[in-house]
C-alpha cells in the first residue's frame, strides 16, 4: 500500500446518483450506477465501451452481500439485459479505460481474476455460474491486467465495495489468538464474557469483528422483544452452520462483522446489551474507555 490520490466526480451533482472514480495516475475509470438510474448511464459514452462490471446487492434470505461479475463489449446493453433478468442487485459498478485501451481479452482475463479473488476472500456471495478459469492471453495482456486489477481493487473499496479485501484470519482457542496468527500493533483484542459466553473480537473501521472460535449463550433471554433482527441473525447462523452446537455452547465457526459493538454483544450474550460496555480489553477497560483514549 502507498499514498494515492483518488478523485470522485458527480456527473449529476448528487452523491446518491452516478459516481465516477479514478486514480489520478491511472487510465481506469470506475462508475457506480444505481439501478434506478440506469437510463442515465445509457446516455453516457461509456455505455458503448468494452469493460468489466459488477452487480452488487444482498441475498434475500441471509442478507449477506452478493455480487455478479461479468465482462462485455457493450456495457450498456449487458446491464439492460441484467435489469430484465436479475433481481438481487441494486448497484452496478463498471470499469472502463479512459484511453479506450481495454479489449475483450482484457475483459475476460480481468473477469476470471475477479471471480477467483472473490471466491478466495469470501466476503460476498458470488452468483456467477462460471468457475473463473484464467484464459490464455499474451504475456503483455496478462501484465496489464495484473496492474489494472490493483487499481480496480482500490477504487471498488473507496466506493464502499471491499470485494477483494481479505477478511481477518484469526482463530480463537480458549479466548486467545493462536501463536501463529499474531495481531498487528494496531489490532487490539476485546472480550465479551458472561455465563456460557466467551467472545473475542477486534474493533475495526468496519465495526466489531467477532472472531472465529468465540462461543455464545444458548438461550436468548428477552432478546426477541429487544431485537427481533438479532434473534433472526442467531437463528440463521445456526441454520447455516455459522453457529454450531458444542455441548451447551454455540461456537462461532467463522469471523463475523457487526457494524456496531452492541449487536455483536447481544449476538453472543443472547440478551439486550450495550456493546460499548460489554466488550473489554484484557485489563478490564471497556471499549468505550479505549476508544476515548
Amino acid at each position: 500500500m502507498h499514498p494515492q490520490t483518488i478523485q470522485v466526480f458527480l456527473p449529476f451533482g448528487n452523491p446518491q446518483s452516478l459516481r465516477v472514480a479514478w486514480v489520478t495516475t491511472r487510465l481506469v475509470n470506475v462508475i457506480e450506477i444505481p439501478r434506478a438510474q440506469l437510463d442515465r448511464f445509457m446516455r453516457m459514452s461509456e455505455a458503448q465501451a468494452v469493460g468489466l462490471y459488477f452487480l452488487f446487492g444482498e441475498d434475500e434470505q441471509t442478507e449477506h452481500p452478493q455480487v455478479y461479475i461479468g465482462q462485455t463489449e457493450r456495457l450498456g446493453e449487458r446491464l439492460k439485459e441484467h435489469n430484465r433478468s436479475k433481481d438481487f442487485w441494486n448497484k452496478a459498478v463498471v470499469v472502463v479505460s479512459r484511453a479506450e485501451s481495454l479489449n475483450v481479452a482484457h475483459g475476460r482475463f480481468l473477469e476470471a481474476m475477479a471471480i477467483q479473488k472473490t471466491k478466495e476472500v469470501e466476503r460476498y456471495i458470488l452468483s456467477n455460474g462460471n468457475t473463473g478459469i484464467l484464459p490464455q492471453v499474451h504475456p503483455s495482456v496478462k501484465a496489464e491486467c495484473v496492474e489494472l486489477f490493483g487499481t480496480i481493487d482500490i477504487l471498488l473499496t473507496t466506493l464502499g465495495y471491499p470485494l477483494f479485501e481479505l477478511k481477518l484470519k484469526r482463530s480463537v482457542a480458549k479466548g486467545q489468538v493462536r501463536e501463529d496468527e499474531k495481531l498487528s500493533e494496531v489490532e487490539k483484542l476485546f472480550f465479551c464474557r458472561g455465563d456460557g459466553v466467551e467472545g473475542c473480537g477486534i474493533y475495526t473501521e468496519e465495526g466489531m469483528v467477532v472472531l472465529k472460535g468465540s462461543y455464545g449463550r444458548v438461550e436468548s433471554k428477552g432478546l426477541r422483544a429487544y431485537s427481533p433482527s438479532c434473534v433472526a441473525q442467531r437463528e440463521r447462523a445456526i441454520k447455516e452452520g455459522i453457529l454450531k452446537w458444542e455441548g451447551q455452547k454455540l461456537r462461532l465457526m467463522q469471523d463475523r462483522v457487526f457494524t456496531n459493538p452492541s449487536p455483536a454483544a447481544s449476538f453472543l450474550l443472547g440478551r439486550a446489551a450495550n456493546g460499548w460496555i460489554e466488550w473489554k480489553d484484557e485489563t478490564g477497560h471497556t471499549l468505550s474507555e479505549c476508544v476515548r483514549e
Side-chain angles (χ1 to χ4, degrees):
M1 302 296 289
H2 59 276
Q4 300 186 64
T5 300
I6 295 174
Q7 293 188 348
V8 178
F9 173 58
L10 308 178
F12 302 97
N14 182 355
Q16 301 300 317
S17 183
L18 276 71
R19 296 191 293 171
V20 184
W22 65 93
V23 178
T24 55
T25 56
R26 298 289 185 267
L27 292 176
V28 172
N29 276 4
V30 166
I31 307 173
E32 180 190 49
I33 309 158
R35 185 169 184 170
Q37 297 187 12
L38 182 57
D39 59 329
R40 285 186 164 180
F41 175 70
M42 296 301 298
R43 294 194 291 270
M44 297 172 64
S45 60
E46 289 85 349
Q48 308 304 317
V50 175
L52 182 70
Y53 65 90
F54 305 84
L55 305 179
F56 290 102
E58 290 184 345
D59 181 84
E60 291 184 358
Q61 295 186 347
T62 65
E63 298 181 1
H64 291 167
Q66 184 173 353
V67 65
Y68 179 89
I69 302 169
Q71 59 80 31
T72 179
E73 295 183 64
R74 286 178 173 266
L75 285 164
E77 291 301 317
R78 183 59 57 84
L79 292 184
K80 282 175 62 178
E81 292 175 10
H82 290 318
N83 193 38
R84 293 190 293 267
S85 62
K86 296 186 184 299
D87 295 329
F88 80 92
W89 64 283
N90 50 56
K91 295 282 183 68
V93 176
V94 303
V95 180
V96 297
S97 168
R98 295 202 299 277
E100 299 183 358
S101 58
L102 292 182
N103 57 38
V104 174
H106 291 102
R108 289 175 178 169
F109 198 88
L110 286 169
E111 176 191 40
M113 287 185 70
I115 290 172
Q116 284 189 356
K117 191 65 174 178
T118 301
K119 288 181 176 179
E120 175 188 334
V121 172
E122 296 181 331
R123 271 184 178 270
Y124 285 67
I125 296 173
L126 182 65
S127 63
N128 288 65
N130 47 337
T131 58
I133 297 176
L134 293 174
Q136 294 293 322
V137 296
H138 191 275
S140 64
V141 173
K142 180 178 178 180
E144 289 174 351
C145 288
V146 170
E147 183 175 349
L148 287 170
F149 192 81
T151 302
I152 294 166
D153 181 6
I154 289 290
L155 292 173
L156 283 175
T157 302
T158 298
L159 291 177
Y161 306 98
L163 182 61
F164 309 125
E165 297 298 306
L166 288 173
K167 296 190 294 184
L168 293 167
K169 296 298 182 181
R170 307 284 186 248
S171 296
V172 181
K174 297 181 180 179
Q176 300 296 323
V177 176
R178 291 205 313 250
E179 291 183 0
D180 61 335
E181 295 182 310
K182 300 296 185 182
L183 293 171
S184 73
E185 293 181 1
V186 298
E187 294 174 346
K188 182 176 182 178
L189 283 176
F190 288 91
F191 302 92
C192 179
R193 293 177 170 131
D195 183 20
V197 177
E198 181 67 39
C200 185
I202 301 171
Y203 188 59
T204 75
E205 66 275 8
E206 293 184 75
M208 179 58 71
V209 183
V210 182
L211 301 180
K212 174 183 176 181
S214 299
Y215 60 85
R217 182 172 291 141
V218 173
E219 297 179 358
S220 299
K221 298 181 179 179
L223 187 59
R224 190 172 297 277
Y226 166 72
S227 178
S229 63
C230 189
V231 173
Q233 281 191 51
R234 280 170 59 97
E235 292 175 349
R236 279 199 303 269
I238 293 171
K239 183 178 180 180
E240 296 168 11
I242 297 171
L243 280 174
K244 284 193 175 181
W245 294 96
E246 289 191 4
Q248 295 301 309
K249 300 175 182 178
L250 280 172
R251 187 171 295 277
L252 190 62
M253 307 308 294
Q254 64 185 54
D255 296 344
R256 192 175 184 91
V257 181
F258 295 82
T259 56
N260 187 291
S262 292
S266 294
F267 186 80
L268 294 171
L269 294 167
R271 60 171 172 79
N274 182 342
W276 297 100
I277 297 174
E278 298 287 357
W279 289 100
K280 299 177 182 179
D281 67 10
E282 58 186 3
T283 65
H285 291 91
T286 66
L287 175 60
S288 179
E289 292 171 331
C290 292
V291 170
R292 289 201 302 267
E293 290 180 352

